[in-house]
């Protein structure tokens, strides 16, 4: 008797990669909106009166509800109860609502409105939160920053929900197949969102010669509409898959309150959680200030209005070249033929040099910082493959922390020495940004695969939820601290492009030092208990 094997959408490479592309593009759009105001901090001060404290408070508000209202835990429960496809659409819808609120907050229509008056007169004191010193608002905070913070809180809830949902969706479609490649590809595409934001946010803000910060946020709102469409299409693909397999949706184990005691008594959990919060707090909050930091430390001369380097078309050309860098570099890791591998690698390096030259000629800080994720895209598959086959996860954590410390100290003390050198300063900036991007790959690539080795398998889902919650505390606190430190260490009324960033950068380097110390502690614990963190994943 011949048995007929029915093929499903998951069995088709084209269909499962299409499903991945839909989810990855939704995350790509969310990463762009996440930092949509970061490259135009100076314009926010000039046009909306946001000083560094207001800017930092608004930026930190993204994760406020996740941390203090425990929405991160609720997101996991929603995913567990409702499944991947419903939660994907819900997360995109929530992000879109938050994006629309933030757009209106910085638009011309908000100025002089009754809503602006209300926000000026209210939310200056929040009971309990003010006493604890964790209020998302403060007396004297611009009304537009308060309302934007409300929108960003809503967006942050959807974004965190989307993050855990996409991971579960990839597992569902790629289990038993090329899952590591799929997750690496999704991460690479999402990180390109950072570079896309750095290039296009200032482009739209200055389009036509008239500055309008709301245009940049409107660009982000359009992208969030696209993200919602992507998740709706994914909804129907996923539903079709379930109808073919006859399986119920695969869901995460629910977060259990009873697990907390077991997890908190585990020393391995605390090592991972503290490493996570220290490292990510030194990277993501920095991204929100990086462009302004470069504006304050580089000698940049704006090209003439009639120059090619000042034209809108150069932005598009540079972005296309950036995509070539990322695509060719990423693809080179998966070529079996040596000549094809090195040809793609050569194209990627050549395109990167071309991109850097164009960034120098454009003389804009945002196009210089946009190289940040490019080296990470190139080396992430290399690191993942090395860890799988050779191990050394803790050694990578230590190396990543050392690179992090070196980069922040370089920005703090060496880059300002080249303030008068147009070429030297840009070269130092490019090299440091690329190395920082490499460290951004080293730590996550070695940290997350180590969690199952350190934490009891029975509570792994709950442990991840708590680690993400602790991480969000840092992502809330440090944008706020950087803003406060900037205002405290600079003269009142200082120009947005003449700030001294030494103190905030030293603070971030100290986070790297703490992470480095914990890395050595983790190595000692691994050696003593024989956990196997330095061993390869593939036996």
């Amino acid at each position: 008797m011949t048995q007929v094997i029915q093929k499903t959408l998951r069995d088709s490479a084209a269909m499962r990669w299409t499903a991945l592309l839909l989810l990855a593009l939704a995350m790509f759009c969310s990463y762009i909106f996440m930092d949509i105001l970061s490259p135009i901090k100076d314009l926010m001060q000039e046009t909306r009166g946001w000083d560094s404290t207001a800017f930092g408070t608004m930026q930190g508000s993204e994760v406020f509800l996740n941390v203090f209202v425990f929405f991160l835990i609720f997101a996991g429960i929603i995913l567990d109860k409702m499944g991947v496809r419903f939660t994907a659409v819900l997360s995109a819808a929530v992000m879109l609502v938050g994006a629309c609120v933030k757009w209106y907050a910085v638009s011309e229509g908000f100025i002089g409105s009754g809503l602006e008056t209300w926000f000026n007169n209210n939310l200056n004191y929040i009971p309990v939160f003010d006493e604890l010193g964790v209020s998302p608002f403060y007396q004297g905070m611009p009304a537009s920053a308060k309302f934007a913070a409300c929108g960003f809180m809503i967006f942050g809830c959807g974004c965190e929900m989307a993050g855990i949902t996409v991971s579960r969706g990839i597992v569902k479609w790629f289990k038993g197949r090329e899952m590591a490649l799929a997750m690496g590809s999704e991460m690479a595409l999402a990180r390109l969102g950072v570079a896309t934001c750095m290039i296009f946010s200032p482009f739209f803000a200055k389009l036509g010669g008239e500055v309008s910060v709301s245009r940049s946020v409107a660009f982000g709102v359009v992208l969030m509409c696209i993200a919602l469409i992507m998740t709706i299409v994914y909804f129907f693909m996923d539903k079709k898959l379930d109808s073919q397999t006859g399986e119920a949706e695969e869901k995460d184990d629910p977060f259990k309150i009873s697990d907390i005691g077991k997890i908190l008594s585990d020393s391995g959990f605390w090592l991972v959680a503290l490493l996570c919060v220290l490292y990510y707090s030194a990277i993501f909050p920095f991204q929100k200030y990086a462009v302004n930091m470069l504006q304050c430390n580089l000698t940049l001369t704006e090209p003439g209005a009639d120059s090619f380097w000042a034209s809108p078309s150069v932005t598009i050309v540079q972005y296309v070249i950036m995509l070539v860098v990322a695509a060719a570099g990423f693809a080179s890791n998966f070529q079996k033929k040596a000549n094809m591998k090195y040809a793609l690698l050569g194209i990627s390096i050549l395109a990167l040099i071309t991109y850097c030259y164009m960034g120098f000629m454009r003389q804009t800080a945002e196009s210089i910082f946009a190289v940040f994720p490019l080296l990470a895209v190139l080396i992430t598959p290399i690191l993942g493959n090395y860890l799988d086959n050779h191990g050394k996860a803790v050694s990578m954590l230590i190396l990543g922390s050392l690179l992090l410390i070196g980069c922040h100290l370089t920005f703090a003390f060496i880059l300002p020495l080249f303030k008068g050198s147009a070429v030297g300063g840009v070269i130092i900036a490019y090299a440091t940004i690329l190395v920082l991007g490499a460290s951004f790959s080293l730590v996550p690539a070695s940290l997350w695969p180590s969690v199952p080795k350190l934490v009891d398998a029975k509570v792994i889902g709950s442990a991840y939820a708590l680690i993400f919650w602790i991480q969000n505390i840092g992502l809330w606190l440090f944008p706020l601290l950087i803003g406060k430190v900037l205002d405290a260490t600079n003269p009142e009324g200082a120009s947005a492009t003449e700030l001294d960033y030494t103190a905030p950068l030293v603070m971030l380097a100290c986070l790297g030092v703490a992470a480095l110390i914990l890395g050595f502690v983790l190595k000692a614990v691994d050696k003593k208990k024989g956990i196997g963190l330095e061993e390869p994943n593939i036996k």
Side-chain angles (χ1 to χ4, degrees):
M1 181 182 292
T2 303
Q3 185 177 4
V4 178
I5 301 175
Q6 183 181 1
K7 288 198 171 184
T8 66
L9 290 177
R10 190 163 46 198
D11 296 316
S12 166
M15 288 297 100
R16 64 176 177 269
W17 282 97
T18 298
L20 173 72
L21 185 62
L22 292 169
L23 293 173
L25 283 174
M27 290 305 297
F28 171 78
C29 294
S30 72
Y31 265 57
I32 294 174
F33 191 86
M34 193 185 302
D35 281 319
I36 200 71
L37 294 182
S38 301
I40 54 174
K41 176 182 180 289
D42 57 324
L43 300 181
M44 297 309 299
Q45 180 168 333
E46 294 168 8
T47 64
R48 294 297 183 270
W50 294 13
D51 60 12
S52 294
T53 299
F55 182 82
T57 304
M58 191 285 304
Q59 292 283 39
S61 67
E62 179 196 355
V63 296
F64 183 83
L65 294 179
N66 289 326
V67 173
F68 295 105
V69 188
F70 304 103
F71 188 83
L72 183 60
I73 307 302
F74 297 141
I77 294 171
I78 292 170
L79 177 59
D80 175 62
K81 299 299 182 185
M82 304 304 295
V84 171
R85 55 177 174 266
F86 173 85
T87 312
V89 175
L90 177 62
S91 64
V94 171
M95 286 192 290
L96 178 57
V97 170
C100 290
V101 171
K102 188 172 179 178
W103 166 76
Y104 183 67
V106 301
S107 70
E108 299 294 330
F110 182 76
I111 300 174
S113 66
L115 202 56
E116 182 184 37
T117 303
W118 189 90
F119 272 92
N120 273 324
N121 297 331
N122 294 277
L123 299 181
N124 294 311
Y125 170 74
I126 312 293
V128 180
F129 287 109
D130 268 279
E131 278 73 17
L132 293 173
V134 297
S135 176
F137 313 109
Y138 60 88
Q139 180 76 39
M141 185 176 180
S144 58
K146 286 183 188 175
F147 195 36
C150 292
F152 212 23
M153 288 179 201
I154 298 170
F155 171 85
C157 290
C159 190
E160 200 65 46
M161 190 190 302
I164 60 177
T165 302
V166 167
S167 297
R168 173 54 65 193
I170 293 174
V171 170
K172 180 174 182 176
W173 282 80
F174 285 86
K175 192 172 184 178
R177 296 175 174 84
E178 55 277 84
M179 192 188 301
L181 176 58
M183 287 191 169
S185 301
E186 185 274 326
M187 186 185 297
L189 184 57
R191 285 183 178 171
L192 281 179
V194 178
T196 304
C197 169
M198 297 300 160
I199 289 177
F200 283 106
S201 179
F203 170 79
F204 284 108
K206 300 173 183 176
L207 192 62
E210 181 184 349
V211 173
S212 173
V213 293
S214 66
R215 274 199 302 261
S216 293
V217 185
F219 164 63
V221 171
V222 171
L223 290 175
M224 296 320 303
C225 291
I226 294 172
L228 179 58
I229 293 170
M230 294 293 179
T231 57
I232 291 172
V233 175
Y234 173 82
F235 180 96
F236 289 105
M237 281 190 68
D238 196 81
K239 190 174 183 180
K240 176 69 173 176
L241 175 63
D242 281 352
S243 68
Q244 290 177 335
T245 61
E247 300 171 355
E249 281 204 83
E250 187 173 358
K251 303 169 184 176
D252 282 321
D253 291 333
F255 181 87
K256 300 183 183 72
I257 300 298
S258 59
D259 290 338
I260 293 180
K262 189 183 297 184
I263 295 168
L264 296 182
S265 62
D266 190 320
S267 60
F269 163 80
W270 282 110
L271 286 171
V272 173
L274 291 173
L275 273 166
C276 179
V277 72
L278 289 168
Y279 187 79
Y280 280 91
S281 294
I283 291 287
F284 286 115
F286 171 73
Q287 282 180 195
K288 300 181 185 300
Y289 290 88
V291 170
N292 187 236
M293 183 275 296
L294 292 176
Q295 290 171 336
C296 297
N297 285 298
L298 294 176
T299 301
L300 300 172
T301 306
E302 192 173 336
D306 57 345
S307 167
F308 165 73
W309 301 109
S311 66
S313 58
V314 73
T315 303
I316 308 300
V317 173
Q318 192 178 21
Y319 187 64
V320 170
I321 291 173
M322 185 192 77
L323 294 179
V324 172
V325 175
F330 190 75
S332 69
N333 290 287
F334 305 101
Q335 301 301 315
K336 294 182 179 179
K337 294 183 178 179
N339 57 350
M340 179 62 79
K341 178 185 179 70
Y342 291 117
L344 285 171
L345 193 58
I347 292 171
S348 180
I349 293 171
L350 187 61
L352 178 61
I353 294 171
T354 304
Y355 176 91
C356 291
Y357 172 75
M358 294 184 74
F360 170 73
M361 294 302 294
R362 290 185 65 191
Q363 291 286 288
T364 59
E366 57 269 16
S367 64
I368 292 171
F369 184 70
V371 301
F372 174 66
L374 295 186
L375 192 59
V377 172
L378 173 63
I379 69 173
T380 296
I382 299 174
L383 295 175
N385 184 61
Y386 186 88
L387 277 168
D388 282 341
N389 292 283
H390 302 285
K392 304 296 181 185
V394 184
S395 299
M396 282 196 181
L397 282 170
I398 292 171
L399 176 59
S401 298
L402 284 169
L403 292 176
L404 179 68
I405 297 165
C407 288
H408 283 314
L409 292 179
T410 299
F411 284 135
F413 298 109
I414 296 178
L415 187 61
L417 299 178
F418 290 82
K419 175 73 173 174
S421 173
V423 177
V426 172
I427 291 174
I428 294 293
Y430 270 136
T432 311
I433 292 165
L434 284 168
V435 172
L436 187 64
S439 79
F440 189 34
S441 288
L442 276 168
V443 173
S446 51
L447 183 65
W448 298 119
S450 300
V451 176
K453 297 179 181 179
L454 285 161
V455 179
D456 190 336
K458 294 179 181 178
V459 295
I460 190 70
S462 300
Y464 270 122
L466 273 176
I467 288 172
F468 291 149
W469 180 73
I470 293 171
Q471 173 188 315
N472 272 240
I473 294 175
L475 300 185
W476 159 76
L477 178 62
F478 281 93
L480 173 63
L481 279 181
I482 294 171
K484 285 183 177 294
V485 170
L486 274 176
D487 280 340
T489 55
N490 284 278
E492 188 175 347
S495 167
T497 55
E498 295 179 356
L499 300 173
D500 182 356
Y501 267 85
T502 304
L505 288 167
V506 170
M507 178 179 70
L508 296 177
C510 288
L511 293 178
V513 172
L516 178 64
I517 293 170
L518 280 179
F520 281 113
V521 171
L522 186 59
K523 190 160 189 173
V525 170
D526 177 53
K527 187 175 182 180
K528 182 179 179 181
K529 296 186 176 180
I531 300 170
L533 296 179
E534 292 281 83
E535 296 177 4
N537 295 324
I538 299 175
K539 302 294 183 181

